[in-house]
Each structure stands twice: as C-alpha cells, then as structure tokens.
Amino acid sequence: MRCGLLGEKLGHSYSPALHALFGDYDYELFEVSPDRLGDFLRVRDFQGLNVTIPYKTTMLAICDDLTETAATIGSVNTVLKQLDGSLLGDNTDAAGFEGMVWKSRIRILGRKCLVLGSGGASLSAQYVLRKLGAGEVVVISRTGENNYDNLDRHQDAAVIVNATPVGMYPNTAASPVDLRQFPHCEGVLDLIYNPARTALLQQAETLGIPHLGGLYMLAEQARCAAQLFTGEVIPAIRTQEAYRTLRSRMENRILVGMPGCGKSTVGRALAAQLDRPFVDTDAELEKVLHMPVGEYITHYGEEAFRKEETALLAQLGKSSGLVIATGGGCVTRPENYPHLHQNGAIFFLERALSKLPKKGRPLSLKGSLEDMYTIRLPMYRRFADITVANDGPAEKVAQKLEEAYEHFSD
Ligand code: NAP
C-alpha cells in the first residue's frame, strides 16, 4: 500500500516515522507544486494521503466524498482512494486536537477559548472546542475584528490555543501573545510540536498554567489516518506509545554539572547507547573562538565568553535528538534555560566535591572549587529535570540517565 503526505514544501517531516509506528505500509513525502497537483491527482498512484499546506481546502473541493467532520470543518487533511478510485476526504486533525485536549486535562466546558490564527488547524480546533461545549470561541486573526491590537477585550479568556506557526522551529524565540494579559487563563494548548516546548508553553509553565504541545495531536491524527488507510482499528493506547517514542527520539539529552563531573564521558557513552550525535559545547566553542576556552576568558573576560556560549546554546537547543554536554558555568545565565529546555531533558550529573578535579579548569581558577560548588549547586538543581549521581562506570551511569528519562516523561 502506498500512502504519503501531500504538500507544497515539506522539508523535514515526522509523518513517515509516525506512520511506521502505526501500520505496515509505505509512507512517502509527496512534495507537489500547485501546477503539478492536477497531474498528481489524475494519476492517483496512492491509496491514502495526508494533506498539508496549502492543499487542505483545495482537497475539500476535489474529493468526491467527504466525511461529516471534513465537510463541517471545511478542511481535508486525510484522503482515502476508495475501491472505485474515487477520493474520500476526512479531517483527522479534529480527532487529533480532541485527543490533545483530553491528554492535557484542560477543561473546555463553559470556558471562553481564544484560538490564535484562522488557518486550517484553527478550523479543526474551533470545531472541537464547540463540540466540547466551550462557552465562547473567539478567533484572533491579524486581519480580523478580534486581533492582536485589541486582546484586552479578552482578558477573561480561560483557554488559549495557538494555531499559528509563531514559535515554530527555527524561530523558536517568538511567542504569539504574552500570557500575562490573561489573568484568568487556566490552560494553554500549542499545536506546534517542534520545539516540544514553545516559548508560549514555557511562559505557561513559569506562570503555573496547565499546558500541552502539539506532538500528541500529531500522533493521534496519524493513528486516525492509519485506521482509515488500513481499514483496521488501532487501539487508542498506541497513540500514547507513539507519542512517547517520537518525543524520546526528538528530545535532546542535556547534561549540566560542575567542571570535571564527567559530563563529556557520560554524554559520549549515552550518545553511543542511543546512537545519537554527541556535542560538547566547550569543544564547539573552541572551534568558533579559535582558541581554548580558558585562553579566551583570559583575553576577553568571562562576560564575553558567556555571550558566545549563550549564542551557541540558542542554536543547539533548537536541534533534535542530540546528546549535549554543556560547560560547567552555563547555568549561571538564566537566559540559557529556555534555550536548553525547549527541546531537551536536562540532567544534573552530580559528583561529590571530593571527586572533582582541582586543576586544569579555567573557571576553577576564580575562587575555590568549594565556593563554586556552593554557589552553583542550586543553579544546577534549578535547571535540572532529573538529577543522577555519577558514581560508577560511564556506561552504567548513561544507562541510569536513560532509565530516569523513561520514568520522567509521561
Ligand atoms: P496555516 O493554514 O498557514 O494557518 C496559520 C494561521 O496562523 C494563518 O491563517 C494566520 O492567521 C496565522 N499566522 C500565520 N503567520 C502568522 C504570523 N507571522 N503571526 C501571527 N499569525 C500568523 O497553518 P495551519 O495548517 O493552520 O497550521 C498552524 C500551526 O499548527 C502550525 O504551526 C502547524 O505546524 C500546527 N499544526 C499542528 C498539527 C498537529 O498535529 N500538532 C496539525 C496541524 C497544524 P491570520 O492570518 O488570521 O492571523
């Protein structure tokens, strides 16, 4: 069976990996320009399609039959070639978003919901929010009556749904709204799945507002599409499994800890075990700075070094699937946290002070190692999702890190 994702520009897509978790069929990327769409659909050399930008409304008009969901929403994201060759259009984004709402446990019934953006994903979200009994659904559109200049009208909003690409990789520093404008906000749902934690979600986390990113929606809409393609029931639990698998693959594993605590050695062992690239930020910086870190600090000062380090972490933090050993002092800059947290699980590799090397570390030269340890310990703890003791062979500690990750991620 030949299935795939139809869109104009696809770039990197998680869909093939996801569909491989749901069914035993070929899943390809069909990158088709608008002038070739007619030919592609005439030949119909596929059994099933997922549809993305800019063809979701185009396919609505082209499909011979529509499910009630697709017809009501006015957007098609899944197409099945039926036995007679005709095309059935469905919308599994709606089921995906509904799954995301349930997973988040954010309550919709009777709540005022703001949906940011008015594109295809927004239509699916609006449909589901109404179906789940939202008190009011307001669409914020750059060009609409409700827009980003009059958000103060909606200070009473309880749920914010981001259905815009604002905050998506690679522009991950951007956020569509400032949540402090919504003092009654009880939940934030961001349809973006790369990065795992957008700037909007990180702000929700800081403010203590329940929140969830779009990866679960992606997994659930894929399960529903796979059911349509194969004609088989795929149990809902498989969405949770696929979500965990994909998230684990995407998320960086990031090690923080004192200079000499073993981040690079354990990081290399972990990268080998997970078959992932390993990055040592100090080694990367030395390539950029064209000199050893210690020498750079001596010449230009620590402040200049930290700026370079933050710029590198901003880049690396956006990546997926890396194992990253950071420099011991990266936790001294709070601005490094969102960079690392956006797509990574952060491990504090703890090692007893008596076991840390006293020589050869440039920053250890300033003050005693004991002082540095006392000052930095709370900083490492603040950054860390998981603390693991480096108290054995690197391979064993790396295994411990990954086991801790499995328990940590829901
Ligand atoms: P789309 O059709 O391009 O619509 C996005 C909407 O966002 C636009 O209609 C626009 O609405 C608004 N927008 C675009 N650029 C903006 C900007 N610079 N600033 C503010 N608003 C902007 O895209 P889509 O298919 O609906 O997807 C939207 C997002 O949802 C994407 O990030 C996509 O990756 C994500 N998504 C996730 C899943 C999932 O399974 N998790 C599924 C589908 C989509 P206005 O012009 O009205 O402002």
Side-chain angles (χ1 to χ4, degrees):
M1 187 162 61
R2 191 172 186 227
C3 300
L5 176 64
L6 169 68
E8 184 179 9
K9 289 195 187 81
L10 296 176
H12 178 265
S13 167
Y14 295 106
S15 294
L18 252 181
H19 281 268
L21 297 171
F22 286 124
D24 189 17
Y25 46 83
D26 292 332
Y27 194 93
E28 297 171 37
L29 297 181
F30 299 121
E31 206 170 77
V32 179
S33 56
D35 59 315
R36 287 180 41 238
L37 185 67
D39 286 343
F40 177 80
L41 293 173
R42 243 187 315 281
V43 177
R44 294 197 183 182
D45 187 14
F46 57 80
Q47 275 71 48
L49 289 178
N50 285 127
V51 183
T52 187
I53 299 169
Y55 300 131
K56 287 187 180 181
T57 41
T58 317
M59 290 310 293
L60 185 84
I62 287 173
C63 283
D64 305 286
D65 302 301
L66 295 172
T67 61
E68 199 185 325
T69 313
T72 310
I73 294 173
S75 168
V76 162
N77 85 320
T78 306
V79 175
L80 178 72
K81 189 168 80 173
Q82 302 178 105
L83 288 176
D84 63 357
S86 63
L87 300 181
L88 170 70
D90 192 8
N91 187 313
T92 63
D93 277 343
F97 181 69
E98 191 169 343
M100 176 180 177
V101 172
W102 292 124
K103 165 103 182 142
S104 74
R105 300 186 184 184
I106 291 168
R107 294 198 183 169
I108 303 299
L109 187 65
R111 307 301 200 276
K112 175 168 176 173
C113 303
L114 293 194
V115 182
L116 312 178
S118 64
S122 167
L123 292 173
S124 301
Q126 292 170 46
Y127 167 83
V128 171
L129 293 170
R130 291 197 179 98
K131 186 179 141 190
L132 297 179
E136 192 184 347
V137 178
V138 178
V139 176
I140 305 296
S141 165
R142 290 167 300 177
T143 51
E145 186 202 334
N146 292 297
N147 55 59
Y148 297 90
D149 293 327
N150 57 34
L151 285 175
D152 53 335
R153 291 178 180 178
H154 305 294
Q155 287 178 4
D156 55 341
V159 178
I160 313 271
V161 178
N162 180 30
T164 78
V166 180
M168 193 164 82
Y169 177 87
N171 302 315
T172 60
S175 187
V177 291
D178 182 345
L179 292 173
R180 288 171 302 183
Q181 293 171 279
F182 306 104
H184 304 285
C185 185
E186 299 168 9
V188 178
L189 296 162
D190 197 331
L191 270 54
I192 293 172
Y193 45 85
N194 185 16
R197 299 170 200 84
T198 58
L200 182 72
L201 292 180
Q202 290 204 52
Q203 191 186 24
E205 190 176 27
T206 305
L207 297 173
I209 302 170
H211 56 276
L212 188 67
L215 192 61
Y216 193 88
M217 172 175 172
L218 189 73
E220 175 65 354
Q221 64 77 25
R223 181 183 71 89
C224 296
Q227 290 193 136
L228 196 69
F229 297 159
T230 60
E232 288 167 13
V233 174
I234 302 173
I237 187 72
R238 297 266 302 277
T239 296
Q240 172 69 11
E241 291 164 8
Y243 164 74
R244 282 181 59 106
T245 302
L246 203 62
R247 198 173 69 169
S248 172
R249 280 184 206 165
M250 286 170 69
E251 256 187 341
N252 298 316
R253 309 288 194 272
I254 299 165
L255 281 78
V256 299
M258 284 290 282
C261 73
K263 298 182 293 285
S264 300
T265 313
V266 172
R268 268 196 202 91
L270 182 62
Q273 282 171 20
L274 298 177
D275 193 21
R276 290 177 178 218
F278 170 71
V279 181
D280 182 316
T281 60
D282 278 353
E284 287 304 304
L285 280 164
E286 290 187 355
K287 285 186 212 157
V288 177
L289 305 174
H290 304 292
M291 64 178 84
V293 166
E295 206 174 308
Y296 188 87
I297 292 172
T298 310
H299 272 84
Y300 301 103
E302 187 176 343
E303 192 59 34
F305 170 72
R306 294 290 168 214
K307 268 193 189 152
E308 295 288 349
E309 186 181 48
T310 295
L312 176 71
L313 295 180
Q315 280 310 312
L316 282 177
K318 293 178 193 181
S319 326
S320 292
L322 300 179
V323 175
I324 303 173
T326 59
C330 81
V331 294
T332 60
R333 295 293 186 273
E335 63 269 31
N336 290 336
Y337 179 73
H339 296 316
L340 298 177
H341 186 51
Q342 63 181 316
N343 232 0
I346 306 178
F347 298 90
F348 169 32
L349 194 61
E350 207 170 26
R351 195 163 168 82
L353 179 60
S354 59
K355 292 196 173 153
L356 295 173
K358 293 207 166 54
K359 286 187 183 156
R361 305 281 165 187
L363 301 188
S364 322
L365 296 175
K366 272 192 186 169
S368 72
L369 193 64
E370 286 78 2
D371 288 348
M372 186 195 270
Y373 191 83
T374 309
I375 292 168
R376 286 194 185 165
L377 198 59
M379 296 176 179
Y380 293 126
R381 295 224 161 104
R382 245 194 321 276
F383 267 56
D385 296 306
I386 304 163
T387 298
V388 172
N390 184 9
D391 55 2
E395 289 69 27
K396 281 261 160 59
V397 178
Q399 267 170 17
K400 243 186 352 179
L401 285 178
E402 200 49 22
E403 279 161 24
Y405 175 81
E406 288 301 321
H407 290 297
F408 151 78
S409 57
D410 67 346

